[in-house]
Amino acid sequence: MKRGLKELFEAVKGNNKNLVSYKKYQLFTNQWEEEPTDDLQNPLNIRCTSIIKEKLKSIDPDLYQHFKKIGLSCTIFLQRWLKCIFTREFTTEDCIIMWDDILANEFNVPSKNLEYIDYFCVAMFDYISDQLINLDQNECFLCLFKYPPFQTIDLLIK
């Protein structure tokens, strides 16, 4: 947990006492508009935004622009991917291989907060980019909530 997973489970910063409203806001806000105020941010939401607006944008700008154009709120499925560390997307065997790679990766020094996981999310987008680029918002949601089958987890790890 100290290597960067603890932040995924921290409470909301600030004095926001209405967590139901916050949860609704957090899931359905348009991340393509201005950033919410600090009291509506939490480390997980900040990390999800960073994955899209920094990493995906630099690695696959076409897919980033498509997501922006259709107004896809990536926070909804990224939170599940990160909190469950991909266990809902892949088989147990594949998860064990992936986790071994994540935890053994030389770039996962404590100061980087297991940043490799963020890049794995981008690899998941990139792997099905050709599909996603032709889908509308609802179809993208369906595709990303039920990640398509693949030959081997090694393809994503590489």
Side-chain angles (χ1 to χ4, degrees), residues 20-156:
V20 174
S21 293
Y22 173 75
K23 294 279 186 207
K24 212 183 282 184
Y25 174 85
Q26 183 182 24
L27 291 177
F28 298 106
T29 186
N30 185 350
Q31 72 188 83
W32 305 108
E33 294 174 2
E34 290 296 315
E35 295 295 325
T37 59
D38 286 343
D39 62 338
L40 292 175
Q41 288 287 300
N42 70 12
L44 179 58
N45 200 30
I46 292 167
R47 190 165 186 169
C48 291
T49 301
S50 168
I51 289 169
I52 298 301
K53 289 189 172 181
E54 295 170 18
K55 295 170 180 73
L56 180 65
K57 184 178 182 179
S58 68
I59 293 170
D60 193 341
D62 293 335
L63 186 60
Y64 170 82
Q65 287 300 325
H66 177 67
F67 284 172
K68 186 175 181 176
K69 180 178 129 187
I70 64 174
L72 182 69
S73 178
C74 302
T75 304
I76 296 173
F77 50 83
L78 277 174
Q79 286 187 1
R80 184 177 90 172
W81 290 3
L82 293 173
K83 278 194 169 188
C84 298
I85 315 174
F86 311 109
T87 55
R88 299 206 38 193
E89 283 62 50
F90 306 115
T91 65
T92 303
E93 293 81 15
D94 285 340
C95 283
I96 291 171
I97 292 167
M98 178 192 8
W99 293 344
D100 187 43
D101 192 58
I102 288 170
L103 296 172
N105 191 289
E106 64 188 78
F107 298 107
N108 282 326
V109 294
S111 63
K112 292 282 190 176
N113 292 327
L114 292 175
E115 192 175 22
Y116 182 86
I117 293 173
D118 301 355
Y119 286 104
F120 193 84
C121 291
V122 174
M124 289 173 65
F125 290 129
D126 195 50
Y127 185 75
I128 58 173
S129 179
D130 292 340
Q131 275 181 264
L132 294 171
I133 208 93
N134 296 313
L135 301 177
D136 65 23
Q137 185 185 62
N138 291 334
E139 293 167 329
C140 280
F141 273 128
L142 290 173
C143 185
L144 292 166
F145 269 114
K146 185 166 175 39
Y147 197 79
F150 53 91
Q151 291 178 347
T152 173
I153 194 76
D154 294 334
L155 294 173
L156 288 174

